[in-house]
Amino acid sequence: MITTDYAPGAPCWLDLGAPDVPAAAAFYSAVLGWDYESMDDENMEGGMFRKDGKIVAGLGKLTEEGARSAWMIYYSVTDADATTQAVERAGGSVRVAPMDLDEWGRMAQYTDPLGGQFAVWQPGTSKGLELVDQPGSLSWTELMTTDAAAAKEFYGEVFGWQYSEMQLPGGGGAYHIITPAGQPEERMHGGLMELGKEDLSLTNGRPYWHPVFAVGDCDAAVAKVTENGGTVQMGPEDAEGVGRLAVCLDRADADFVVLKPAES
């Protein structure tokens, strides 16, 4: 489970780069019940999503030439500069060098050696998201990669992540569960799995991270996705011990998962 005390290496923030900010705001408000709050900044189009008054995600204008619309997941670190050095030592590259965002904190963005993009957040006055692991908020993160062993080694070196393995039903292969360094397994926050490049058509064969949002009713959320111009890549379907889930694309083809967790 993800919690808001944000142990080092745990997901603590996410934001969406969208080609059409108002359209994205309307889509996620309809699908996840979010309220959009625009920033008062003439130099930057974007803002925050809130659920029950608490911040659950950020939204900004997609400005990178040739980039696809996608969610960027941030992991909490104590020192963004030291993490940047660790990324480079492990074979990754720096997309955005460490920079301060006023008094809120310090961020940086990277690409892992296989092509997966991710980011880190060194907290200042803001630790990150204010609501997680509840309906309408981030509950899990997933990496779809072309080489699970290499990905585990890289992120293990950068974050010290611990891994455990489970076999997917029907011969679906191994799913590697991620837990922050030094934390018990109940603090697991994500997973990674290996797929062939042909199965990563969304990114032309490049690995990618995507978020999983908890919902109260998976089928109702999927209906809202399609009613509001999104599409469904997989599901809804039941995953034993996990819950009912669907892999979805928003209007601009940014991918995410909606999950009604199984009752414990």
Side-chain angles (χ1 to χ4, degrees):
M1 63 183 295
I2 300 175
T3 63
T4 54
D5 61 359
Y6 299 127
C12 65
W13 182 259
L14 78 165
D15 52 38
L16 174 67
D20 186 332
V21 168
F27 176 84
Y28 288 97
S29 295
V31 172
L32 296 172
W34 289 351
D35 297 311
Y36 178 63
E37 183 180 286
S38 180
M39 287 188 299
D40 185 19
D41 187 341
E42 62 183 19
N43 298 314
M44 184 182 299
E45 185 181 3
M48 304 292 180
F49 285 115
R50 293 182 182 269
K51 178 74 172 178
D52 300 329
K54 297 180 178 180
I55 295 173
V56 290
L59 172 63
K61 178 77 171 180
L62 182 65
T63 58
E64 185 177 347
E65 187 174 349
R68 76 177 185 99
S69 182
W71 285 97
M72 179 68 73
I73 300 170
Y74 293 69
Y75 295 92
S76 186
V77 296
T78 57
D79 187 330
D81 296 270
T83 302
T84 298
Q85 295 172 8
V87 166
E88 293 179 316
R89 284 195 304 270
S93 57
V94 180
R95 298 184 68 248
V96 178
M99 60 183 290
D100 292 323
L101 297 181
D102 296 326
E103 73 281 3
W104 300 329
R106 190 164 174 80
M107 61 80 70
Q109 295 184 358
Y110 314 107
T111 303
D112 72 29
L114 298 162
Q117 297 180 352
F118 67 105
V120 298
W121 179 253
Q122 176 186 329
T125 57
S126 172
K127 290 184 177 181
L129 304 175
E130 297 173 349
L131 182 70
V132 294
D133 207 41
Q134 298 293 324
S137 68
L138 182 68
S139 65
W140 194 253
T141 63
E142 283 187 324
L143 173 64
M144 306 291 110
T145 185
T146 51
D147 188 332
K152 287 168 63 179
E153 181 178 358
F154 171 79
Y155 289 101
E157 288 186 33
V158 172
F159 293 124
W161 283 347
Q162 307 166 136
Y163 303 100
S164 57
E165 184 178 306
M166 62 177 285
Q167 292 298 314
L168 297 174
Y175 189 83
H176 306 273
I177 296 170
I178 303 166
T179 303
Q183 298 294 313
E185 277 202 359
E186 57 262 28
R187 292 293 300 273
M188 63 181 69
H189 66 250
L192 66 86
M193 66 181 299
E194 184 173 316
L195 296 173
K197 287 187 176 182
E198 67 277 6
D199 297 317
L200 300 174
S201 58
L202 188 65
T203 55
N204 296 316
R206 181 174 57 79
Y208 60 90
W209 285 94
H210 64 199
V212 178
F213 298 116
V215 294
D217 185 324
C218 179
D219 294 76
V222 166
K224 288 291 186 182
V225 167
T226 55
E227 287 169 12
N228 288 276
T231 56
V232 180
Q233 284 196 304
M234 185 192 79
E237 62 182 42
D238 295 317
E240 185 177 355
V242 176
R244 188 162 176 79
L245 59 86
V247 181
C248 305
L249 301 178
D250 68 16
R251 295 175 181 175
D253 289 342
D255 56 301
F256 63 99
V257 177
V258 290
L259 168 68
K260 164 63 174 169
E263 295 186 10
S264 56

